[in-house]
Amino acid sequence: MNNFTFYSPTYFAFGKGTEKEAGRLIKRFGGSKVLIHYGGGSVIRSGLLDRVKESLNKENIEYIELGGVKPNPRSGLVYEGIDLCRKEGIDFILAVGGGSVIDSAKAIAAGAMYEGDFWDFFEGKPIEKALPVGTVLTIAAAGSEGSGDTVITKEEGMLKRGAGSEVLRPKFSILNPELTQTLPAYQTACGAVDIMAHVFERYFTNTKEVEITDRLCEAILLTMIKEVPRVIKDPNNYEARANIMWAGMVAHNNLVGVGREQDWASHGIEHELSALYDVAHGAGLAVVFPAWMTYVMKHDINRFAQIAVRVWGCHMNFANPEETAREGIERFKQFLKSIGMPTTFKELGAREEDIPLMVEKLGLGENGTIGSFVRLNSKDVENIYRLAL
Amino acid sequence: MNNFTFYSPTYFAFGKGTEKEAGRLIKRFGGSKVLIHYGGGSVIRSGLLDRVKESLNKENIEYIELGGVKPNPRSGLVYEGIDLCRKEGIDFILAVGGGSVIDSAKAIAAGAMYEGDFWDFFEGKPIEKALPVGTVLTIAAAGSEGSGDTVITKEEGMLKRGAGSEVLRPKFSILNPELTQTLPAYQTACGAVDIMAHVFERYFTNTKEVEITDRLCEAILLTMIKEVPRVIKDPNNYEARANIMWAGMVAHNNLVGVGREQDWASHGIEHELSALYDVAHGAGLAVVFPAWMTYVMKHDINRFAQIAVRVWGCHMNFANPEETAREGIERFKQFLKSIGMPTTFKELGAREEDIPLMVEKLGLGENGTIGSFVRLNSKDVENIYRLAL
């Protein structure tokens, strides 16, 4: 196990009706003038935004609103938010929505405390301060409610990039599984794949002797395998929604990823897909991950056999562990299909002829690599895209 | 799943040499005049205390020392610590040691900010403020490094009681597995049982549909079953020590226990044993838990069959799940024996004739109960003690 630090100071309020706590929690964490940030009309139509505002009113907290966040959130709205925060003297940002809204809020929070262009942070500049952010989560997926990470797409060139900092961890996150019950099956499944992908990025590691985090990763995956089909079948299954929602937080606040080298190649490879076609991140991951697994499997057959046996319930073929490893990947693909996810470029609506463009935009150049489990160069990435055709 | 809140704002620095971070972390979390609290001579002999003081010197942090914490920490030293904090204007307490030292530090931290008798908190008064506490952990066991709980024994009557509050969560905890390598096998095993017991107290619940926390609990237990025999065999196995140490934190910061009713009867039943005989808490738990399990098993055969299959690797006897449930308890007992733990009163050095006294001291009276998985009255507790003879 490697040395590590772990710091997850987010306060979580979980369960039915917890959005009513928003005002009280903003006050507890020092907010007095709030930017409420959200996406499209669904939080308005559902009445959620009204309930949240009511809870702020009860605490006499001032607020202004900025809606319009799109999936794969854009830099344009971030700039708008930063200006608004400065002009209005905002001291707290409340994100009401999913990962895109939270990521946009985090980018605004960092940008508002920085004199330069916030995009600097997405080109590597460390984020040292940010306005405090709270969240009311509406989809179990990105894990942004418990993480210090944000992913933003720069409209100029459709560049999708991530940034992260301890100071971006939300002060509080409100997780009410009821709010996710209205999600269509497709979005629910996309979120589930995102959660599982956050585990895979940590699970496939070259760090030896990490049993505790291996087992915790497997715990999340086993939960997803049980609970996701239940919500696809019955969207109103509160209990299954609740298990998935907490799993989504645990999958990405990094408790299960500490002390080990993590990979993250597949996220980078997927980002080019969702940036180019504006498809859901989870759907893109469903296409990329089985291809990545197949491509890198031979690097550590035992690890792939381990996940096949412990998570996918395969019987170990002791005479031929590679067969077990392959069976695990195959069961994952079957699982993805069973919950309505695409597993090929064709099903996703991506085109073979765009592969060179995506490889180029990934920007590895001649000598660059992505990932750490296996360091992939541009040619490897091209091969993985082609495996996913 | 029940509604819940979860807040674990402790900063963890984990790995080799991390005790050198103590000074920097105290500064980060606002300490300027520190009480270093510790137990016996081992932290002096090992040089740990010197290394910690050196890291405080480097940051020009003033400190005074208070050693002498004993296992099952006593109220007397807590009063002494409170006086010292007031007299010296202490603004931060650094606990260097195991759960007993940390618990003692927490009690001092709460008492120093309270005008009345600190024992009030152990009789139910809520703890609203406390001095900040940091820890340098030397044994994987109590989980106090990540929890807001403390257990103190009042010398008058040897009353062992717990108290808890969000404000008692350590600001930081330094976990260096190397520091645990010098522990004798018996103490190592006692710590391991304590960790597993923290999971059992959460696992046996009447709350339905808690797959994510079930699986996370099982992840910790599976890790312990793999790693503990390795350190008993080879105390210098750093990797196994590291896995156990992180497992110990995760087992008790409550991440794996949220959203579910928890039991905690066995801890109460054990406290009377360790208070009366001054035996290690973990050894007492090794005696109490199998007896408790056997006594309550029929309340939920399926749950006991689940742990037998998922954790202890039993094959499910579908025709007779009770047999599987019993087999799981039996394997747990065998595991305890294999790591050198007592499983009977006799092995622990406890006496049958003291049972009425312990039942009386537990204080349930005629109508009181303990536990929530099964509510146990005084007669039940007596039966459990007798099962452990």
Side-chain angles (χ1 to χ4, degrees):
Chain A
M1 198 183 294
N2 303 334
N3 278 19
F4 66 84
T5 63
F6 177 70
Y7 188 43
S8 173
T10 304
Y11 181 100
F12 295 97
F14 188 103
K16 294 179 182 174
T18 43
E19 63 272 21
K20 291 176 195 152
E21 301 289 310
R24 193 181 61 76
L25 287 170
I26 288 170
K27 210 161 201 178
R28 168 170 176 172
F29 289 99
S32 63
K33 186 151 189 198
V34 176
L35 176 70
I36 304 180
H37 197 38
Y38 57 93
S42 70
V43 297
I44 300 170
R45 283 193 304 277
S46 69
L48 172 61
L49 200 63
D50 281 340
R51 296 202 297 285
V52 167
K53 287 195 234 170
E54 200 185 308
S55 100
L56 270 63
N57 290 335
K58 267 194 186 158
E59 303 287 341
N60 297 312
I61 294 167
E62 273 188 80
Y63 56 82
I64 55 170
E65 294 174 42
L66 178 64
V69 182
K70 289 184 184 151
N72 303 316
R74 311 295 169 85
S75 53
L77 196 67
V78 173
Y79 287 115
E80 203 179 313
I82 292 169
D83 287 346
L84 207 54
C85 284
R86 288 179 183 153
K87 205 177 71 186
E88 300 283 343
I90 294 298
D91 62 11
F92 198 99
I93 303 179
L94 181 67
V96 182
S100 297
V101 174
I102 299 171
D103 281 8
S104 183
K106 287 176 178 174
I108 294 170
M113 300 285 277
Y114 175 60
E115 291 192 357
D117 180 350
F118 90 94
W119 193 254
D120 294 349
F121 298 132
F122 293 77
E123 288 179 338
K125 192 181 171 71
I127 300 173
E128 276 156 19
K129 43 189 184 171
L131 290 175
V133 171
T135 86
V136 179
L137 187 65
T138 57
I139 173 170
S144 191
E145 68 277 12
S147 86
D149 304 321
T150 167
V151 178
I152 299 291
T153 299
K154 190 178 187 179
E155 274 132 331
E156 188 189 340
M158 290 306 271
L159 276 177
K160 190 169 179 177
R161 292 288 176 269
S165 166
E166 206 177 77
V167 300
L168 292 185
R169 296 241 187 201
K171 295 296 172 198
F172 67 81
S173 281
I174 290 171
L175 278 60
N176 176 357
E178 292 173 315
L179 303 179
T180 69
Q181 288 177 203
T182 51
L183 282 171
Y186 186 80
Q187 270 182 268
T188 301
C190 285
V193 176
D194 199 9
I195 291 169
M196 296 172 81
H198 289 157
V199 177
F200 294 140
E201 298 285 20
R202 294 173 165 97
Y203 194 80
F204 293 103
T205 182
N206 294 313
T207 312
K208 300 296 173 200
E209 299 269 18
V210 284
E211 184 75 0
I212 180 64
T213 37
D214 271 3
R215 288 289 189 185
L216 292 169
C217 284
E218 292 159 4
I220 297 167
L221 295 171
L222 287 162
T223 302
M224 299 301 286
I225 292 167
K226 178 188 167 198
E227 302 294 3
V228 177
R230 296 173 81 200
V231 293
I232 298 299
K233 202 172 160 190
D234 173 14
N236 291 314
N237 187 328
Y238 176 85
E239 298 294 350
R241 293 275 190 192
N243 278 285
I244 292 169
M245 202 166 202
W246 192 236
M249 193 292 286
V250 181
H252 198 47
N253 86 335
N254 210 30
L255 182 102
V256 307
V258 291
R260 49 204 287 152
E261 196 181 280
Q262 305 187 4
D263 190 67
W264 297 98
S266 300
H267 265 71
I269 295 169
E270 191 291 317
H271 280 175
E272 299 310 322
L273 278 170
S274 49
L276 192 63
Y277 305 107
D278 212 15
V279 294
H281 178 50
L285 288 167
V287 172
V288 169
F289 244 114
W292 176 86
M293 288 175 176
T294 305
Y295 194 75
V296 304
M297 188 188 72
K298 289 199 176 170
H299 176 68
D300 190 347
I301 290 289
N302 286 341
R303 182 146 283 269
F304 277 91
Q306 177 178 303
I307 198 172
V309 170
R310 290 186 181 177
V311 172
W312 297 107
C314 302
H315 291 279
M316 181 67 182
N317 183 337
F318 292 93
N320 187 355
E322 186 176 329
E323 201 175 285
T324 309
R326 280 192 198 284
E327 194 187 334
I329 298 169
E330 190 51 40
R331 290 208 191 176
F332 174 43
K333 274 173 100 162
Q334 294 306 325
F335 175 82
L336 291 169
K337 287 177 187 171
S338 76
I339 61 171
M341 282 287 98
T343 58
T344 62
F345 261 48
K346 201 177 163 190
E347 288 168 318
L348 188 68
R351 287 175 313 212
E352 184 176 0
E353 54 266 40
D354 289 335
I355 289 178
L357 173 65
M358 289 191 287
V359 172
E360 194 200 322
K361 282 182 66 189
L362 192 57
L364 299 181
E366 283 207 7
N367 303 309
T369 63
I370 189 171
S372 76
F373 181 64
V374 176
R375 292 175 186 276
L376 304 167
N377 61 27
S378 289
K379 185 66 195 164
D380 294 317
V381 172
E382 184 185 333
N383 290 340
I384 288 168
Y385 282 134
R386 291 195 188 281
L387 267 180
L389 286 177
Chain B
M1 198 183 295
N2 302 334
N3 279 17
F4 66 83
T5 62
F6 177 70
Y7 186 45
S8 173
T10 304
Y11 179 101
F12 295 98
F14 188 104
K16 295 179 182 174
T18 43
E19 63 272 21
K20 292 176 195 152
E21 301 290 308
R24 195 182 60 77
L25 287 169
I26 288 170
K27 210 161 201 178
R28 171 172 173 169
F29 290 100
S32 62
K33 186 151 188 197
V34 176
L35 176 70
I36 304 180
H37 197 39
Y38 59 93
S42 69
V43 296
I44 301 171
R45 282 193 304 277
S46 70
L48 172 62
L49 201 63
D50 281 339
R51 294 201 298 284
V52 167
K53 287 195 235 170
E54 198 186 308
S55 100
L56 271 64
N57 289 337
K58 267 193 187 160
E59 302 287 341
N60 297 313
I61 295 168
E62 274 188 79
Y63 56 81
I64 55 171
E65 296 174 41
L66 178 63
V69 181
K70 290 185 183 152
N72 302 315
R74 310 296 169 82
S75 53
L77 196 65
V78 172
Y79 288 115
E80 203 178 315
I82 292 169
D83 287 345
L84 206 53
C85 284
R86 287 180 182 152
K87 204 178 68 187
E88 300 282 342
I90 294 297
D91 62 12
F92 198 99
I93 302 178
L94 181 67
V96 181
S100 297
V101 174
I102 300 171
D103 282 8
S104 183
K106 286 174 177 175
I108 295 170
M113 302 283 279
Y114 176 61
E115 291 192 0
D117 181 349
F118 91 93
W119 193 254
D120 293 350
F121 298 132
F122 294 77
E123 286 178 342
K125 190 179 174 70
I127 301 172
E128 276 155 20
K129 44 187 182 170
L131 289 175
V133 171
T135 87
V136 179
L137 186 65
T138 57
I139 174 169
S144 191
E145 68 277 13
S147 85
D149 305 321
T150 167
V151 178
I152 300 290
T153 299
K154 191 177 185 177
E155 274 131 330
E156 188 189 339
M158 289 308 270
L159 275 178
K160 190 170 179 176
R161 290 289 177 268
S165 166
E166 206 177 76
V167 300
L168 291 186
R169 295 240 187 200
K171 295 297 171 197
F172 68 81
S173 282
I174 290 172
L175 278 60
N176 176 358
E178 291 173 315
L179 302 179
T180 68
Q181 288 177 202
T182 50
L183 283 171
Y186 186 79
Q187 270 182 269
T188 301
C190 285
V193 176
D194 199 10
I195 292 169
M196 295 174 81
H198 290 157
V199 177
F200 293 140
E201 297 286 20
R202 295 171 165 97
Y203 195 80
F204 293 102
T205 182
N206 295 311
T207 311
K208 301 295 174 202
E209 298 269 20
V210 284
E211 184 74 0
I212 179 65
T213 37
D214 271 5
R215 288 290 189 183
L216 292 170
C217 285
E218 292 158 4
I220 297 167
L221 295 171
L222 287 162
T223 302
M224 300 300 286
I225 292 167
K226 177 187 168 199
E227 303 293 3
V228 177
R230 294 174 83 201
V231 293
I232 297 300
K233 202 173 157 191
D234 172 15
N236 290 314
N237 188 327
Y238 176 85
E239 299 294 348
R241 293 276 188 192
N243 278 285
I244 292 169
M245 202 166 202
W246 193 235
M249 193 293 286
V250 181
H252 199 46
N253 85 334
N254 211 30
L255 181 103
V256 308
V258 292
R260 50 203 289 153
E261 197 182 280
Q262 304 185 6
D263 190 68
W264 296 98
S266 300
H267 265 71
I269 294 170
E270 191 290 319
H271 280 176
E272 299 311 323
L273 278 171
S274 48
L276 192 62
Y277 305 106
D278 211 16
V279 294
H281 178 50
L285 288 167
V287 172
V288 169
F289 245 114
W292 176 85
M293 288 176 177
T294 305
Y295 193 75
V296 304
M297 188 187 68
K298 288 199 177 171
H299 176 68
D300 190 347
I301 290 289
N302 287 341
R303 181 146 285 269
F304 277 91
Q306 177 178 302
I307 197 171
V309 171
R310 289 185 180 178
V311 171
W312 297 107
C314 302
H315 291 278
M316 180 68 182
N317 183 337
F318 292 94
N320 186 357
E322 185 176 328
E323 201 175 285
T324 309
R326 279 192 198 284
E327 194 188 334
I329 298 170
E330 190 49 42
R331 289 208 191 178
F332 173 44
K333 274 173 98 162
Q334 293 308 325
F335 175 82
L336 291 170
K337 286 176 188 171
S338 77
I339 61 171
M341 282 286 96
T343 58
T344 63
F345 261 48
K346 201 176 163 192
E347 290 168 316
L348 188 67
R351 288 175 312 214
E352 183 174 1
E353 54 266 40
D354 290 334
I355 289 177
L357 173 64
M358 288 191 287
V359 172
E360 194 199 322
K361 282 184 65 191
L362 192 58
L364 299 179
E366 283 208 8
N367 302 309
T369 62
I370 189 170
S372 76
F373 181 65
V374 175
R375 291 175 186 275
L376 305 167
N377 61 28
S378 289
K379 186 67 195 165
D380 295 316
V381 172
E382 185 184 334
N383 291 340
I384 288 168
Y385 282 134
R386 291 194 188 282
L387 267 179
L389 289 176

